[in-house]
Amino acid sequence: MQFSESWLRTLCNPSLDSEALCHLLTMAGLEVEEVEPVAPPFSGVVVGQIVSFEKHPNADKLKVCRVDVGADELLQIVCGAPNVVEGMKAPCACVGAKLPGFEIKAAKLRGLESFGMMCSASELGLSQDHDGLLALPEDAPVGADIRSYLDLDDRKITIKLTPNRADCLSLAGVARELAALTDTPLQAIVTPDVPVGHERQRKVHLDAPLACPRYLGRVITGVNAQADTPEWMRERLARSGLRSISAAVDITNYVMLELGQPLHAFDNGLLQGDIHVRHPQPGEKLVLLNGDEVTPAADMLLVADEGRPLALAGIMGGENSGVTDATTEIFLESAFFHPDAIVGRARILGFSSDASHRFERGVDFALPAQAMERATALILGICGGVAGSVFEAIEREQLPQRQIVPFRPERARKLLGFNIADDAMHAALARLGMQVKASVGGLEVTPPSYRFDINIEEDLVEEVARIHGYDSIPACPPVGPAHMLPSSEFTRPAHRARRALAALDYQEIISYAFVDEAWERDFAANEAPIRLANPIASQMSVMRSTLLGGLIGALAGNLRRRAPRVRLFELGRCFRKDETFVTGYAQPVRLAGLAWGTAEPEQWGQAARSVDFFDVKHDVEILLAGRAQFVAARHPALHPGRCAEVKLGADVIGVLGELHPALVQRYGLGAAPMVFELELDAVLSTRLPQAQDISRQPVVQRDLALVLRNEISADSLRGTLEAAGGEYLRSVTLFDVYSGKGVEPGFRSIALRVVLQHTERTLEEAEIEACMRGLVAAVEQQLGGRLRA
């Protein structure tokens, strides 16, 4: 909400400067989002009156003016504005005046001396209007400083309100809050009853009393709809972010800003019979003031007469019943619409309005009568006319009820964590307009009609804290024993995994857990994802069951920015349906990574090559400290022949592979990225190191070339050898794979280096040969392999 600081200070004017006032509002929960001066800094500009003028002898478009600025002599000023007339008053910048961007000096214009400059609004930085001089009212005092006269030292304050503070969507509400915070007198807006000059009325029928339990209407005759809006009202509206439209509309907007009650003015001559507040009939249409034709839903609310709908209640009026320049009679509406009947309706129709913004948050149900009198008085004062009596339709039992909320001071002190006197709490609540009565064990508090957010004791405790001042709460260090949480030596912290991947040149990303349904189909083959009841966007309608979609989306974004090499990882929670959980959903935490582009950054030492399956397999092996096993597998998002399950012991903990070619093409990636996704718990599990003596004896190396079927994996071969190697075996390393001439089809030759060592003595040749024979025998018996000739 935006408003003028000077307007606020007419209602409550504490002895605080602008900065302190804004800080106070922010600390009380009314966050000041922006403070903007209404005019740029300038000086030396006064109200000047053009006493006479004549045409410049040397220029067709210039005039030589004699200007009274309240000095002993008239000033001669050469001016080129087209709207110069004798007697008009306008801003005059005297010699020495400093305007935005330049300083006024005495000068010659086409041979004639000019001692100043008559100013337009644009030259003062007030608007973009430079078509002529800024005309001032006839009663403007000649010689008065223009900044003081036009209140140009004012500031526009914009506050950001939480949805529960609808009571502060008006100047009166903000002033009421400021008065409570500073204990400064509040200047009440006096609204005496307007004299009734005729008895013409329109009856109002509340056909939907739950949605509209109170509606006031008044007929005002003899109105001059073409009357000009006073400059003071135009200025206040402009500084509140609203443009002037017409006097009648400006008045309803002004009262809404001042009191917080949205109003609407109908052309009474266009209405037929009684007024009905009702739900729409099937197929009923309405053209709104913004030009949109809408078909209201069954749960929306209309204001209608006997023949047609007139307005979308609490949201926007209709185009065919609004006030025009030809209007002579006004039917003025002031009503209370229940928030439940308004909330979300405007958004469904694709727009918002100031009225709906207020009604859906809650407007004071006791306010319509005061707002009616205030608006009527302004209409009569500006547009003339005669006011009729007010017709009020009300269903009191349907109005919101304000229940007594018990308040225990001792409980409040416990929640706040510091001592505050009972009398101080009583006074704080009373200053907020609440009815406070003493009771056994504490206080009984009844919130005012304009507070929709006070329902429980904790709400009152929050109010006490606000009025006391959050920045006045003492900083008390916590008192209590501090205990370190237990930490298992068999589990690493998550940041270790992050640091390990960062050391491998991966960059961490954080993506939304809400994803596009297409991602779930493509990357998880999930046809029944967990759907969101109220998604924030159509492309974020389901919960992710895999992290791969976020990584591919981030890769696509980087490729659009011509990134030559991308390595990403994410640690996050996934969501899948699982009836074994009470909630029906499991939420595993996973770690996933992606590599695309070259295997290494560009360098002189080696030729560039694309990252492949084994590069990322190496990274996963480092992440799992060499404990992982890799078994060929299939995955819906990965290349059928370049995919493996990652296992720890007998447990499958993840998947690794190259993205499926169809998905590479669908997402425009150019080349296939390598990806992996692992269960975080398995990644973080670790083994305790086992201390061993370092042998001083020499190692023995022997090479083995074994012929095995193609389907025998290197992992299974290594496992077989390690199990059969005995106490002397230290390592088995694969260093060559061959297939071709000399090896029958369907087989391949695998070369391994075997390292043997005794911890206390040098191994004898017989022991070495026995160990090697045992290794070959194990391969022959368990894997069907043989020693290559």
Side-chain angles (χ1 to χ4, degrees):
M1 176 186 168
Q2 179 180 309
F3 56 86
S4 156
E5 181 185 346
S6 65
W7 188 4
L8 175 64
R9 288 186 181 274
T10 63
L11 302 175
C12 181
N13 189 15
S15 55
L16 300 172
D17 61 20
S18 298
E19 184 177 352
L21 184 146
C22 292
H23 176 74
L24 180 66
L25 291 176
T26 297
M27 293 306 297
L30 280 63
E31 180 186 354
V32 175
E33 198 171 34
E34 185 180 9
V35 180
E36 181 185 359
V38 300
F42 62 82
S43 61
V45 183
V46 298
V47 176
Q49 183 173 24
I50 300 175
V51 177
S52 63
F53 72 92
E54 58 187 21
K55 185 179 177 182
H56 194 293
N58 301 321
D60 292 338
K61 295 184 179 181
L62 296 181
K63 303 177 181 67
V64 182
C65 303
R66 306 287 290 175
V67 181
D68 182 5
V69 293
D72 295 337
E73 297 181 357
L74 299 180
L75 300 181
Q76 176 174 295
I77 297 177
V78 178
C79 177
N83 64 334
V84 171
V85 295
E86 288 187 2
M88 82 173 295
K89 294 180 179 179
C92 177
C94 302
V95 173
K98 295 181 179 180
L99 298 185
F102 61 98
E103 183 176 348
I104 300 299
K105 299 178 180 178
K108 281 188 177 182
L109 295 177
R110 295 294 182 94
L112 293 182
E113 296 280 353
S114 181
F115 299 94
M117 183 178 77
M118 303 302 292
C119 300
S120 66
S122 66
E123 288 159 339
L124 298 180
L126 304 181
S127 74
Q128 299 301 315
D129 182 12
H130 55 271
D131 292 337
L133 301 181
L134 175 61
L136 300 175
E138 294 182 1
D139 59 354
V142 173
D145 182 79
I146 201 70
R147 295 195 71 91
S148 298
Y149 176 69
L150 295 179
D151 195 17
L152 297 182
D153 291 320
D154 188 15
R155 291 171 176 80
K156 294 182 287 187
I157 299 175
T158 303
I159 59 175
K160 184 179 180 181
L161 295 172
T162 52
N164 64 311
R165 293 311 307 272
D167 58 299
C168 291
L169 283 170
S170 66
L171 270 295
V174 177
R176 187 168 53 219
E177 191 78 3
L178 187 58
L181 291 168
T182 60
D183 201 13
T184 303
L186 178 66
Q187 302 298 320
I189 300 170
V190 181
T191 53
D193 291 346
V194 173
V196 174
H198 63 81
E199 295 300 324
R200 290 177 56 190
Q201 288 185 332
R202 284 194 184 273
K203 291 185 178 180
V204 178
H205 304 276
L206 302 179
D207 298 336
L210 290 176
C212 177
R214 189 178 189 192
Y215 189 103
L216 281 69
R218 164 178 268 162
V219 175
I220 305 174
T221 62
V223 173
N224 177 16
Q226 299 182 38
D228 291 331
T229 302
E231 187 59 34
W232 60 268
M233 183 177 288
R234 287 176 182 267
E235 199 58 45
R236 285 185 172 181
L237 290 173
R239 294 181 186 182
S240 300
L242 297 180
R243 63 184 180 87
S244 177
I245 299 174
S246 67
V249 176
D250 291 349
I251 289 168
T252 58
N253 285 336
Y254 181 84
V255 173
M256 178 186 69
L257 291 172
E258 184 181 57
L259 297 178
Q261 172 69 53
L263 303 166
H264 188 66
F266 298 94
D267 186 330
N268 190 59
L270 301 177
L271 308 186
Q272 305 171 27
D274 295 348
I275 299 297
H276 294 263
V277 185
R278 58 173 174 82
H279 292 296
Q281 298 170 0
E284 207 163 25
K285 296 183 181 295
L286 174 65
V287 179
L288 301 175
L289 287 171
N290 61 4
D292 293 349
E293 183 180 58
V294 299
T295 302
D299 63 345
M300 294 182 181
L301 197 64
L302 295 178
V303 177
D305 60 13
E306 300 288 356
R308 57 177 179 165
L310 304 173
L312 205 54
I315 298 177
M316 186 174 290
E319 185 176 54
N320 299 322
S321 61
V323 174
T324 66
D325 287 348
T327 299
T328 58
E329 293 185 358
I330 287 176
F331 178 76
L332 187 62
E333 166 196 284
S334 181
F336 170 74
F337 300 110
H338 199 284
D340 291 344
I342 306 299
V343 65
R345 278 33 172 214
R347 285 190 293 276
I348 291 173
L349 297 173
F351 64 88
S352 182
S353 66
D354 290 323
S356 66
H357 184 76
R358 287 164 171 78
F359 276 123
E360 66 185 6
R361 287 161 173 76
V363 173
D364 183 2
F365 54 86
L367 189 58
Q370 181 187 3
M372 174 66 78
E373 297 301 326
R374 175 64 168 157
T376 302
L378 289 171
I379 290 173
L380 298 183
I382 296 171
C383 303
V386 179
S389 58
V390 175
F391 186 94
E392 179 177 13
I394 186 168
E395 295 283 349
R396 296 189 184 278
E397 64 276 6
Q398 302 300 339
L399 290 171
Q401 304 299 313
R402 293 292 177 254
Q403 304 295 331
I404 294 175
V405 181
F407 179 78
R408 295 165 291 174
E410 193 58 42
R411 169 70 174 163
R413 281 187 283 269
K414 184 176 181 180
L415 288 176
L416 294 174
F418 67 96
N419 289 324
I420 180 171
D422 291 7
D423 291 345
M425 288 189 272
H426 187 292
L429 295 173
R431 293 212 306 266
L432 287 168
M434 302 187 192
Q435 298 178 21
V436 185
K437 294 182 181 179
S439 65
V440 177
L443 304 173
E444 291 183 348
V445 181
T446 304
S449 57
Y450 49 80
R451 292 300 297 268
F452 284 74
D453 59 326
I454 306 297
N455 299 296
I456 58 176
E457 185 178 27
E458 286 73 13
D459 294 332
L460 297 174
V461 174
E462 181 183 358
E463 295 302 295
V464 169
R466 288 195 317 105
I467 299 304
H468 179 79
Y470 290 131
D471 48 359
S472 299
I473 296 176
C476 302
V479 178
H483 299 286
M484 293 188 67
L485 296 175
S487 177
S488 171
E489 291 183 322
F490 294 94
T491 303
R492 296 180 294 174
H495 78 269
R496 292 274 184 89
R498 288 188 170 100
R499 290 174 62 182
L501 285 170
L504 292 168
D505 207 17
Y506 287 81
Q507 301 280 336
E508 184 175 11
I509 69 165
I510 300 175
S511 63
Y512 281 105
F514 313 139
V515 299
D516 194 328
E517 187 173 354
W519 285 10
E520 283 296 292
R521 288 195 300 269
D522 290 345
F523 302 115
N526 187 0
E527 296 295 338
I530 301 171
R531 299 183 183 280
L532 296 174
N534 186 24
I536 58 177
S538 60
Q539 73 276 15
M540 304 173 76
S541 59
V542 301
M543 302 295 289
R544 68 185 178 193
S545 62
T546 175
L547 299 177
L548 296 182
L551 291 170
I552 298 300
L555 171 62
N558 278 275
L559 295 184
R560 285 193 294 271
R561 291 161 179 80
R562 308 290 183 180
R565 181 173 181 268
V566 181
R567 296 170 78 87
L568 307 171
F569 79 92
E570 180 172 13
L571 191 157
R573 194 174 296 278
C574 296
F575 305 84
R576 58 180 171 81
K577 295 178 181 178
D578 191 331
E579 297 301 328
T580 61
F581 288 81
V582 175
T583 60
Y585 305 106
Q587 301 182 26
V589 181
R590 293 180 181 156
L591 179 64
L594 174 149
W596 181 93
T598 57
E600 299 290 342
E602 186 176 2
Q603 56 167 299
W604 62 270
Q606 64 182 31
R609 65 175 181 84
S610 297
V611 67
D612 61 23
F613 177 93
F614 297 100
D615 291 315
V616 177
K617 177 175 178 283
H618 169 262
D619 296 340
V620 173
E621 287 180 324
I622 291 177
L623 192 62
L624 295 172
R627 297 174 295 140
Q629 295 175 307
F630 301 88
V631 180
R634 297 182 71 87
H635 187 279
L638 302 182
H639 192 295
R642 299 170 188 172
C643 171
E645 288 179 342
V646 183
K647 300 179 71 175
L648 274 185
D651 298 328
V652 177
I653 66 164
V655 67
L656 160 72
E658 179 182 310
L659 193 67
H660 198 287
L663 298 179
V664 173
Q665 183 177 8
R666 185 174 305 164
Y667 289 90
L669 304 180
M674 304 296 156
V675 298
F676 66 86
E677 185 171 25
L678 308 170
E679 298 292 338
L680 183 64
D681 288 343
V683 174
L684 299 183
S685 66
T686 186
R687 295 178 297 191
L688 291 180
Q690 301 293 325
Q692 293 180 339
D693 291 335
I694 298 176
S695 176
R696 298 177 179 270
Q697 305 305 317
V699 298
V700 176
Q701 294 184 359
R702 292 286 188 273
D703 292 345
L704 279 178
L706 301 169
V707 177
L708 298 107
R709 296 187 306 276
N710 286 339
E711 58 266 25
I712 303 299
S713 68
D715 266 349
S716 61
L717 173 60
R718 183 165 45 234
T720 300
L721 294 175
E722 288 176 349
E727 61 178 320
Y728 304 148
L729 183 65
R730 292 292 173 265
S731 66
V732 177
T733 305
L734 185 153
F735 66 86
D736 186 48
V737 177
Y738 171 76
S739 60
K741 186 177 180 180
V743 178
E744 56 265 44
F747 288 77
R748 58 185 172 182
S749 172
I750 298 179
L752 303 142
R753 179 153 296 149
V754 179
V755 177
L756 305 175
Q757 186 184 42
H758 196 289
T759 58
E760 297 178 353
R761 60 180 174 81
T762 302
L763 286 172
E764 297 180 359
E765 189 65 29
E767 293 173 318
I768 297 170
E769 290 300 324
C771 183
M772 297 302 294
R773 285 194 300 271
L775 294 177
V776 174
V779 170
E780 292 174 344
Q781 296 169 10
Q782 298 179 31
L783 301 178
R786 61 180 173 78
L787 192 65
R788 185 179 176 188

